[in-house]
Amino acid sequence: MSTVTPAISPSGSVISLENLLFDYPEADIILRSRDSYEFRVLKLYIVHSSPVLGEKVLISPNPPPSTPAIPVDSQVEGLTSVDALPVVELPLNGAILFSLLSYIFPVPPVLPSNEEQTMELLSVAQKYKMGVVLTHIRNHITQQDPPFIREETAFLIYSLAQKYGLRHEALKAARSTLSFSTLTIKDLYRNDKLSMMPGDVLHELWKYHQRVRSNLTSDLEEFRTSNAHAELGDSSCVSLTDASIPSWVDRYIASIGTTPVPAFVDLTEFHMELAKHVQQWNRLPTGGGRCTSCGNMPGGTIRRFWEALSAVVHGSITKVRLAEGGCVG
């Protein structure tokens, strides 16, 4: 998390990321982290955001009049409170609790500074059944640049998601690993991925890759034999398959999802294959079978075919869901 100076938010609360200070006006309870940071907040917001935390704060006893006041230094000049408030101990570190509160109260939301803490924050919101807060955090994560889940972070986030039982993040991260060439020990070691996850978690990811490849092979075979001709229309290509589509198109479709599995198909590669096919036949002597049909393929036909093929690939990958218990299967 970045460092900011103590500031008064539009709600009147005093928050400081540098000192992990969260001092809400008219606070009626103190939340204490496991590393002894104290946050003065209103019960009402906690109760509305989480039935689990709400129960904890509602059953917290109010200190009797004779109880010595609990000093809470706000660490902002001129702002010190010695009000006696009930205290609720939470098994969270101060940085995570501070971030969580920033998504509960009307203050600027603060994401943790690294992947591990961000995943822990998500797991805490899930554990405490904070549906709205969890959605808020996830929406904030999707706005990050560079993206939170990307090729460079996918293996780490997948491992952390399995550790914390975050099925949503585990599936997204698993899909982001599909462009990785293979999941062999040698390749994982060479790319510094092997140390990121336990063996059982890696095995579940391998099974996920196998299922995606299996689904993709089956769906693309059906597309090649049943739907591709409808998208391309009648062709006078010099080399057609039994399904009446150009052989080079058939080979291109068959190559998708071998190694690696694409997260999306690349139109540039399709145009390169088309150009290669046309050039190959154009090298032949005059009258040797130039493929003017493919060379003059309309742009609208290519676009229509490409949209259909992309939909098949995307749909095939999204069929593979998380198995019960948080593992990808």
Side-chain angles (χ1 to χ4, degrees):
M1 295 183 288
S2 57
T3 300
V4 296
T5 56
I8 298 178
S9 75
S11 62
S13 60
V14 180
I15 61 174
S16 169
L17 182 55
E18 181 179 7
N19 302 315
L20 295 183
L21 170 68
F22 202 106
D23 193 352
Y24 210 80
E26 301 180 2
D28 53 10
I29 196 167
I30 293 173
L31 301 181
R32 180 180 293 156
S33 67
R34 68 185 180 209
D35 47 356
S36 300
Y37 284 97
E38 295 185 346
F39 304 90
R40 297 163 52 86
V41 297
L42 280 170
K43 289 182 180 180
L44 182 63
Y45 284 91
I46 305 298
V47 170
H48 283 176
S49 66
S50 166
V52 179
L53 283 183
E55 184 178 355
K56 289 179 179 291
V57 301
L58 288 175
I59 64 175
S60 59
N62 291 314
S66 58
T67 302
I70 302 175
V72 181
D73 185 355
S74 67
Q75 302 180 37
V76 179
E77 184 177 354
L79 295 175
T80 302
S81 173
V82 291
D83 296 334
L85 297 176
V87 177
V88 174
E89 306 269 358
L90 295 176
L92 310 175
N93 70 45
I96 298 299
L97 184 52
F98 181 93
S99 285
L100 184 66
L101 293 174
S102 76
Y103 288 94
I104 295 175
F105 289 85
V107 299
V110 178
L111 278 175
S113 60
N114 59 56
E115 292 87 357
E116 173 91 43
Q117 288 190 335
T118 298
M119 297 299 283
E120 185 178 353
L121 174 64
L122 288 165
S123 73
V124 168
Q126 179 173 274
K127 172 184 175 182
Y128 289 144
K129 300 181 180 179
M130 309 171 82
V132 173
V133 171
L134 189 59
T135 299
H136 188 13
I137 297 171
R138 282 173 170 157
N139 286 342
H140 193 185
I141 288 174
T142 61
Q143 298 169 18
Q144 301 308 296
D145 186 21
F148 180 66
I149 300 177
R150 56 190 188 278
E151 188 172 335
E152 296 82 2
T153 63
F155 282 88
L156 175 61
I157 292 175
Y158 173 79
S159 180
L160 292 171
Q162 294 287 41
K163 172 184 175 181
Y164 289 115
L166 295 165
R167 293 162 58 85
H168 177 81
E169 283 69 29
L171 182 56
K172 290 186 68 175
R175 288 173 181 166
S176 292
T177 68
L178 289 174
S179 58
F180 193 76
S181 57
T182 66
L183 292 185
T184 64
I185 298 298
K186 181 179 179 180
D187 284 342
L188 290 169
Y189 178 79
R190 184 169 54 242
N191 289 276
D192 296 324
K193 307 296 185 185
L194 195 57
S195 61
M196 291 184 180
M197 64 184 74
D200 59 333
V201 174
L202 175 58
H203 182 60
E204 292 297 335
L205 182 60
W206 178 83
K207 290 196 296 184
Y208 169 79
H209 277 233
Q210 295 302 109
R211 282 197 58 195
V212 168
R213 285 193 172 92
S214 175
N215 277 9
L216 201 51
T217 298
S218 175
D219 291 344
L220 288 173
E221 176 66 21
E222 180 180 354
F223 180 75
R224 288 164 58 198
T225 57
S226 304
N227 302 323
H229 176 262
E231 302 299 338
L232 288 171
D234 292 333
S235 172
S236 300
C237 177
V238 294
S239 178
L240 294 173
T241 67
D242 292 340
S244 299
I245 64 173
S247 297
W248 69 270
V249 173
D250 185 72
R251 289 193 300 271
Y252 173 75
I253 296 173
S255 71
I256 299 173
T258 51
T259 300
V261 176
F264 58 90
V265 282
D266 189 348
L267 181 57
T268 302
E269 293 182 0
F270 179 82
H271 278 291
M272 289 175 62
E273 292 299 319
L274 170 59
K276 188 187 303 182
H277 166 73
V278 172
Q279 290 172 6
Q280 174 187 351
W281 285 94
N282 283 352
R283 289 195 202 101
L284 297 177
T286 303
R290 294 183 179 227
C291 191
T292 56
S293 175
C294 292
N296 296 323
M297 187 180 296
T301 298
I302 294 176
R303 183 170 57 254
R304 184 172 61 251
F305 169 78
W306 193 254
E307 289 174 352
L309 177 61
S310 298
V312 170
V313 172
H314 177 74
S316 184
I317 292 174
T318 56
K319 285 179 186 177
V320 182
R321 309 297 299 175
L322 289 176
E324 291 301 321
C327 293
V328 174

